[in-house]
Amino acid sequence: METSAPIVTADQATEVVITRLLNAPRELVFKAWTEPQHVMQWWGPTGFQNTDCQLDLREGGAFALHMTGPDGISYPCLGHYEEISPPERLVLIGEADDRHACGAGLPPRARITVTLVDFHGRTELTIHTRFESATGKQAAVAMGYRTGWEGAFARLADYLRAN
């Protein structure tokens, strides 16, 4: 059975919520989010390649992922973990500056809550992003935030299916 298409909702002026049902157990999806060798394979929109991934998987620990876009430009996704609750929840704080905004992934100054819910052996994945301001949300959406995550979810689904 194929994964469902992403459902995108915007609850507030500063928030974006995206949900997708994945055909993989929650523990495997959690590993795909927390182990560099897995993250490197799917993170980012279609057409992007990851060149480096460092994850200090502890509360307060830093993460750094560098993607290269089809334009050849490097797009760093930087931040730290605020909360880690295996295998059901991660809270990431994006720390990129405006010059290196990762419009396809973690935006600057945003709190992203990743929730994984077991759904009869499959996993409901929800990303709830709270931007610092409505202007920040609008800028991220204009840069492709939603479509970037949709592409990343498709890549994640393909990766999970192959593993």
Side-chain angles (χ1 to χ4, degrees), residues 3-9 17-21 146 149-151 153-154:
T3 57
S4 64
I7 300 167
V8 179
T9 58
V17 179
I18 306 171
T19 299
R20 184 161 181 168
L21 186 62
R146 288 180 177 146
W149 273 117
E150 290 169 9
F153 280 0

Side-chain angles (χ1 to χ4, degrees), residues 43-123:
W43 186 280
T46 304
F48 280 66
Q49 299 296 317
N50 296 303
T51 57
D52 181 47
C53 179
Q54 297 175 17
L55 308 177
D56 181 3
L57 192 64
R58 61 184 174 85
E59 292 179 6
F63 65 85
L65 181 91
H66 293 84
M67 302 183 306
T68 301
D71 56 7
I73 296 173
S74 178
Y75 296 90
C77 295
L78 309 171
H80 71 274
Y81 295 99
E82 183 177 86
E83 181 184 333
I84 302 167
S85 300
E88 61 198 40
R89 183 176 159 100
L90 291 168
V91 179
L92 312 168
I93 305 299
E95 297 174 346
D97 64 30
D98 289 334
R99 293 176 304 116
H100 294 107
C102 189
L106 289 175
R109 294 175 297 281
R111 182 178 194 263
I112 297 179
T113 302
V114 178
T115 306
L116 307 173
V117 177
D118 179 54
F119 192 75
H120 307 290
R122 298 188 294 169
T123 303

